[in-house]
Amino acid sequence: MPSTIVVGGFFGDEGKGKIIAYLAKHDKPEVVARGGVGPNAGHTVEVEGKKYALRMVPSGFVYESARLLIGAGVLVDPEVFKREVSSFGLRGRVGVDWRCGIIEAKHIEEDRKDADLKGKIGTTGTGCGPANAARALRKARQAKDVKELEEFLCDVPREINEVLDHGKGVLVEGTQGFGISLLYGTYPFVTSKDTSASQMAADVGIGPTRVDEVVVVFKSFPTRVGEGPFETQMSEDKAAELHIEEYGTVTGRKRRIGQWDGKMAAYSAMINGATMVALSGVDRLDPSCRGVKKYEELSNEVKEFVAKVEQDTRVPVKLISTGPEISEIVDLRG
Ligand code: IMP
Ligand code: MG
């Protein structure tokens, strides 16, 4: 470890939740901290036959000993947060930075009514854009102003930096994807914040010099939900023929599906400062690879694809996800 940031390299939904859950279980970090925008994210984790869909708490919760933190950069919807804390039984191990921005009913309403947000951009309707706008205008409430969050309040940067001072592991969970970054994505068809690794570090309060590894997750067939350009998008018929249709975790919308985009992957790996790539969904490329855990057992088709990804990004592929369950992975980190 010691400090590892995981981010999405395409348009979101690359399988970060699964990768983070695997890294948490396997590497046993002291802390798993969530950066990113807010509850617009939907991370799916499958472990021991159970499937979890998370929007606020870190996917690393599946490693029971980890302290779970939500960084100051993240927007908190207290309703969504409380629901997840109680349904996953996380009370006592989850902390919210006292400076987190708060999503209120009026933000959600605006996100769902505004013709540009809902219609043109196709937002998730979770209130994130309006809440971040209010935050920039210095009109937003902070977590410290919300009575029901009181028991969870903490100083996330202090906790994380102390863990790092002791040489222990911190896993930082990014959300969304590079292509919907406010700075580097397909503006205006983007989310309300940067989504790169530097932003995730800032969200949880670790300086750039304290980041050891940046894992950029790419999926074999990139997807995009909502509006905006998607250069390698394939037709719905083609996706159906390949049996690779997908639906969104938060909105249930049908995802647009595309072919591998080497140019985008290279640019994304560069800005994220990737030290390794995690490649997901190779079982969609070749279903015979589903559940494979050893590199040697991957088909030639998949091995050639892995080589192409390394060539395109000039970053080693060290994690290869072969299915949704967290044990379905080839780990080449050595
Ligand atoms: P917003 O983040 O809800 O404002 O939505 C802005 C755009 O980002 C829309 O196209 C959303 O579909 C997309 N988006 C936001 N969060 C995610 C995510 O976690 N995965 C995939 N797309 C997302
Ligand atoms: Mg998602």
Side-chain angles (χ1 to χ4, degrees):
M1 293 231 117
S3 72
T4 300
I5 298 181
V6 180
V7 289
F10 284 137
F11 296 98
D13 308 309
E14 298 88 354
K16 293 178 290 296
K18 180 254 168 89
I19 297 291
I20 287 152
Y22 168 76
L23 291 174
K25 276 258 190 203
H26 188 272
D27 297 0
K28 306 192 185 331
E30 195 88 349
V31 165
V32 186
R34 174 92 142 56
V37 184
N40 51 351
H43 289 176
T44 310
V45 178
E46 278 185 53
V47 54
E48 285 145 20
K50 280 181 109 176
K51 193 167 167 172
Y52 305 91
L54 312 153
R55 292 172 52 198
M56 288 265 41
V57 298
S59 310
F61 85 93
V62 296
Y63 169 51
E64 291 88 353
S65 306
R67 167 99 166 126
L68 307 170
L69 298 173
I70 298 181
V74 179
L75 295 167
V76 172
D77 179 329
E79 292 307 312
V80 177
F81 173 76
K82 277 190 316 185
R83 210 182 309 134
E84 291 185 3
V85 168
S86 81
S87 58
F88 307 136
L90 304 179
R91 214 167 177 161
R93 55 184 288 229
V94 58
V96 174
D97 192 278
W98 60 274
R99 291 152 289 203
C100 284
I102 295 297
I103 296 177
E104 297 183 47
K106 63 183 177 198
H107 300 138
I108 298 174
E109 198 179 319
E110 188 184 343
D111 206 8
R112 291 180 182 173
K113 275 199 186 143
D114 185 280
D116 282 336
L117 291 174
K118 193 70 216 159
K120 179 177 151 201
I121 312 287
T123 70
T124 59
T126 52
C128 291
N132 266 336
R135 204 175 187 186
L137 292 170
R138 273 116 331 145
K139 287 179 177 166
R141 286 201 301 162
Q142 290 180 299
K144 69 166 183 1
D145 306 321
V146 180
K147 184 88 186 99
E148 55 200 332
L149 292 178
E150 200 176 311
E151 64 176 296
F152 303 101
L153 298 184
C154 67
D155 186 322
V156 167
R158 193 168 292 289
E159 283 199 37
I160 293 185
N161 283 279
E162 276 172 16
V163 166
L164 292 174
D165 288 343
H166 290 99
K168 298 203 173 130
V170 171
L171 186 56
V172 179
E173 171 169 351
T175 64
Q176 283 75 39
F178 179 78
I180 57 170
S181 160
L182 180 64
L183 300 187
Y184 303 110
T186 53
Y187 187 92
F189 304 100
V190 294
T191 191
S192 50
K193 212 168 84 177
D194 180 29
T195 56
S196 72
S198 308
Q199 177 70 66
M200 301 309 158
D203 283 346
V204 302
I206 50 176
T209 53
R210 288 211 104 168
V211 178
D212 297 298
E213 300 281 357
V214 176
V215 181
V216 180
V217 187
F218 291 111
K219 66 204 292 194
S220 303
F221 292 102
T223 57
R224 174 160 203 170
V225 284
E227 301 306 315
F230 186 5
E231 266 187 40
T232 66
Q233 184 172 358
M234 64 176 82
S235 70
E236 283 194 25
D237 289 350
K238 176 78 183 166
E241 199 181 294
L242 294 170
H243 302 293
I244 55 174
E245 298 113 314
E246 289 183 33
Y247 295 86
T249 311
V250 176
T251 57
R253 288 181 290 183
K254 194 167 188 178
R255 291 178 183 156
R256 300 153 66 191
I257 302 191
Q259 303 285 356
W260 173 257
D261 185 341
K263 219 171 64 187
M264 180 176 180
Y267 199 66
S268 161
M270 175 181 81
I271 290 180
N272 279 304
T275 61
M276 71 177 92
V277 164
L279 187 59
S280 67
V282 297
D283 52 308
R284 289 166 169 246
L285 204 63
D286 178 359
S288 81
C289 292
R290 173 75 190 259
V292 165
K293 291 170 190 167
K294 291 195 181 117
Y295 179 81
E296 308 79 66
E297 289 169 13
L298 293 170
S299 65
N300 285 337
E301 185 187 358
V302 167
K303 284 180 187 161
E304 278 163 27
F305 181 61
V306 169
K308 178 178 168 41
V309 170
E310 293 192 329
Q311 216 170 42
D312 285 343
T313 58
R314 291 191 283 162
V315 177
V317 173
K318 293 202 179 164
L319 295 162
I320 304 167
S321 174
T322 57
E325 159 73 32
I326 69 167
S327 62
E328 295 176 314
I329 195 162
V330 178
D331 187 345
L332 299 168
R333 291 177 301 159

